[in-house]
Amino acid sequence: MVAEPGGPDDQKPQSDEARSAFSQPAGVERSAPPSDDDHPTSEFALPSGLAPEPPGPPSGPGTGSASGSDTIGSAFAPPRTYDARNSPPAFTPAHGIPMIRLTKEAPWQDRMRTMLRMPVADRPAPEPVQRHDDAGPAVPRVLDLTLRIGELLLAGGEGAEDVEAAMFAVTRSYGLDRCEPTVTFTLLSISHQPSLVEDPVTASRTVRRRGTDYTRLAAVFRLIDDITTVEGEISLEEAYRRLAEIRRNRHPYPGWVLTLAAGCLAGAASVLVGGGVLVFVIAALGAMLGDRLAWLCAGRGLPEFYQFVVAAMPPAAMGVALTLTHWSDVRPSAVITGGLFALLPGRALVAGVQDGLTGYYITAAARLLEVMYFFIAIVAGVLLALYGGLQLGAELDPEARLISHDRPVVQILASMVLTLAFAILLQQERSTVLAVTLNGGVAWVIYGAMARTGGLSAVAATAAAAGLVGLFGQLFSRYRYTSSLPFITAAIGPLLPGSATYFGLLGVAQNELDRGLASLSTAVATALAIAIGVNLGSEISRLFMRVPGAVGGANRRAAKRTRGF
């Protein structure tokens, strides 16, 4: 059947190919096209009803008149309220920004620390010390060398600010500008931006293992000093070779010497708190046994927390055993206190507080958390031995700390022996052992004169003695152009709060929490006084030295802290 024309089949909609998607639908009236006045050709034209502002008067001599449209349309035209003669203070002053000049006579630590404390825009351009080819320095190799040097410094216990200063010194010596090092507790990173239009190059390195070796630390400082010195030409290949030799070098002291040093440290500490020759021998034996057990645990892969627990148990057990034998000539508290001196993490505490005082709060929090874990491990080991002794009937005397010990000559010699043993445990160079030993003896003389002869607070006397240690440590390090840690860390050994820690733990073990917590609070206050005193002494020493800064007397800048807001 054929459909008729005009039938229903003729009313079928056309396909998508046969019609336009923008055509007017059927049944809708077509509106008149808008006029050209409703559609301006420029989107920057003024809306209807808004009159343009009249052109303002010229702001100065020689200034040409501009139309209102030119003033509005130009993004570089100055504001109408701006006057060249009376410019607002937000603009650069007429006399300019004072230029920063770094004195070449100052050590590289001070120069780079000054650079780090400057705003990025105010830092002077680098003056390359080491030569390189016409193509420029090999950026990836320079960054890798910088990270390897920073890794050795951070693993050796150096502060975060000093590590950043060392990394900054290496990059500037090889001609890399716009470098920003970042140091945290376990991560090192550095970013280099060649120019404002190029992508930055960033490299990072993780510090997984830490080891105390101040001989290696001093060698790294000598390498940095040679790199930053104009007279020395240290290529990248030579720097890599010397760095590899530093990493391969063996420790200056064998294991048996370290164990003997740990025993001497504990014995000398027991003499400081009133022990005799027999107490010295027993405390030394307990510390050496704890050190060997800790080495055994380390060889089995146990974490450091359990190593400290095991190392703290033998001295405490020997003190409990002496109490059970009822020897009247031997003070068990001196034996236990001497063993604690060999375990207290004074190095990590000083580094943590120093990082916090210099503004590196993440690293400081991580270091102090590490110190807290080590302290809890020592507490656990000593409390296990004390609880066992109390169950066996041992009567430990908490009033033994009230006995005075007026033996100044013996205690000064004991403090020097303690410092010497501590220096050996830190793997210091033999050439620095004598200086740090004398520094430790002077610290104990200051503490004894203030606390025992002068009758001052023990915490205040400790802070003053630690400040003197920091001052002398900075002077020694400037004389030898090396790190200040080898001259400071061992010297604070006689000031560590070993007796306060022991009597606090004894109070906890005997269920006398008030007395125990009071002694532990004294120990914490003494430890903080040591760390703050060392940092303050170091800062005071820099105030009287020639430190690079801005022309006009602006010395070593620091960040301005908020004042309660």
Side-chain angles (χ1 to χ4, degrees):
M1 181 177 180
V2 180
E4 296 181 359
D9 293 339
D10 293 341
Q11 303 299 326
K12 291 181 179 180
Q14 297 178 348
S15 61
D16 293 339
E17 292 80 2
R19 64 182 178 86
S20 173
F22 299 97
S23 60
Q24 189 79 11
V28 179
E29 298 181 357
R30 296 181 180 271
S31 59
S35 63
D36 294 337
D37 296 336
D38 295 336
H39 287 274
T41 57
S42 174
E43 60 181 356
F44 297 100
L46 292 175
S48 58
L50 181 62
E53 296 181 1
S59 58
T63 305
S65 60
S67 63
S69 60
D70 294 338
T71 305
I72 297 176
S74 177
F76 298 97
R80 293 186 295 104
T81 58
Y82 172 70
D83 188 0
R85 294 183 178 180
N86 301 318
S87 60
F91 291 86
T92 305
H95 55 78
I97 299 175
M99 183 178 62
I100 304 298
R101 294 179 180 176
L102 300 179
T103 57
K104 298 295 183 62
E105 294 80 8
W108 63 265
Q109 296 98 318
D110 284 338
R111 290 187 280 117
M112 295 304 110
R113 190 179 289 108
T114 302
M115 294 286 295
L116 287 174
R117 296 187 177 188
M118 290 181 189
V120 179
D122 295 346
R123 294 175 182 173
E127 299 178 0
V129 176
Q130 305 300 329
R131 298 179 180 177
H132 48 75
D133 53 9
D134 297 336
V139 175
R141 297 198 67 193
V142 173
L143 297 184
D144 180 71
L145 175 68
T146 304
L147 289 174
R148 291 178 183 272
I149 290 177
E151 178 189 9
L152 288 180
L153 294 178
L154 187 61
E158 196 67 53
E161 186 180 29
D162 294 327
V163 175
E164 284 195 2
M167 297 171 65
F168 205 68
V170 174
T171 55
R172 289 183 65 87
S173 297
Y174 285 104
L176 295 186
D177 195 8
R178 301 186 185 92
C179 284
E180 286 296 329
T182 303
V183 176
T184 57
F185 186 59
T186 57
L187 181 64
L188 297 168
S189 64
I190 186 168
S191 177
H192 167 65
Q193 189 174 11
S195 65
L196 297 178
V197 296
E198 296 182 67
D199 295 333
V201 180
T202 303
S204 61
R205 196 173 184 88
T206 303
V207 180
R208 303 187 184 277
R209 298 189 60 183
R210 301 176 183 273
T212 304
D213 189 345
Y214 283 175
T215 300
R216 178 181 295 175
L217 191 68
V220 176
F221 265 78
R222 284 193 294 268
L223 173 60
I224 300 172
D225 186 66
D226 293 340
I227 291 176
T228 56
T229 304
V230 180
E231 291 78 9
E233 296 183 3
I234 308 295
S235 62
L236 283 174
E237 289 73 16
E238 177 67 17
Y240 268 107
R241 185 190 64 80
R242 290 182 56 177
L243 191 62
E245 290 180 356
I246 293 173
R247 297 180 69 95
R248 287 196 303 264
N249 283 345
R250 301 185 62 182
H251 299 304
Y253 307 103
W256 65 271
V257 174
L258 299 180
T259 301
L260 184 62
C264 291
L265 192 155
S270 65
V271 174
L272 283 180
V273 294
V277 177
L278 185 58
V279 171
F280 180 95
V281 174
I282 296 175
L285 291 177
M288 289 189 290
L289 179 59
D291 182 76
R292 286 292 91 190
L293 291 177
W295 277 96
L296 182 62
C297 293
R300 293 292 186 269
L302 288 178
E304 285 186 300
F305 180 86
Y306 302 105
Q307 297 176 27
F308 272 82
V309 172
V310 173
M313 293 179 66
M318 285 193 172
V320 172
L322 290 176
T323 304
L324 293 175
T325 56
H326 301 287
W327 282 10
S328 59
D329 297 335
V330 179
R331 293 186 56 212
S333 61
V335 175
I336 301 176
T337 301
L340 290 178
F341 264 88
L343 296 175
L344 292 177
R347 173 184 59 86
L349 175 67
V350 171
V353 176
Q354 183 176 1
D355 287 341
L357 294 176
T358 52
Y360 295 84
Y361 300 114
I362 297 178
T363 307
R367 289 185 188 272
L368 293 178
L369 184 63
E370 181 187 36
V371 171
M372 186 190 71
Y373 272 107
F374 290 162
F375 190 77
I376 291 176
I378 297 172
V379 168
V382 174
L383 284 181
L384 286 176
L386 293 181
Y387 277 129
L390 293 177
Q391 296 299 323
L392 295 176
E395 297 180 358
L396 298 172
D397 186 11
E399 302 297 331
R401 56 180 163 178
L402 300 178
I403 302 176
S404 60
H405 314 287
D406 296 328
R407 300 179 300 173
V409 177
V410 175
Q411 290 181 338
I412 290 173
L413 294 177
S415 66
M416 296 178 68
V417 172
L418 189 152
T419 306
L420 175 63
F422 204 171
I424 295 176
L425 286 175
L426 294 174
Q427 302 280 359
Q428 290 192 196
E429 291 181 305
R430 292 179 174 87
S431 59
T432 64
V433 170
L434 178 60
V436 71
T437 301
L438 295 176
N439 200 9
V442 171
W444 182 258
V445 170
I446 299 299
Y447 170 78
M450 295 181 64
R452 300 191 175 181
T453 304
L456 298 179
S457 171
V459 176
T462 301
L468 196 62
V469 167
L471 177 62
F472 285 168
Q474 284 293 332
L475 295 177
F476 284 137
S477 66
R478 301 307 172 87
Y479 176 73
R480 298 179 60 91
Y481 292 97
T482 184
S483 173
S484 61
L485 285 182
F487 302 99
I488 292 178
T489 307
I492 65 173
L495 304 176
L496 293 176
S499 58
T501 303
Y502 162 67
F503 288 111
L505 298 179
L506 180 59
V508 174
Q510 293 179 343
N511 291 327
E512 298 181 3
L513 296 181
D514 295 339
R515 180 170 55 84
L517 293 179
S519 296
L520 290 178
S521 300
T522 303
V524 172
T526 304
L528 292 178
I530 292 173
I532 295 175
V534 167
N535 181 265
L536 183 60
S538 301
E539 296 294 333
I540 290 177
S541 66
R542 295 191 183 103
L543 292 179
F544 298 99
M545 295 179 181
R546 186 178 181 183
V547 179
V551 177
N555 291 327
R556 187 168 172 261
R557 298 179 180 178
K560 293 182 179 179
R561 306 301 179 193
T562 57
R563 297 175 177 84
F565 53 86

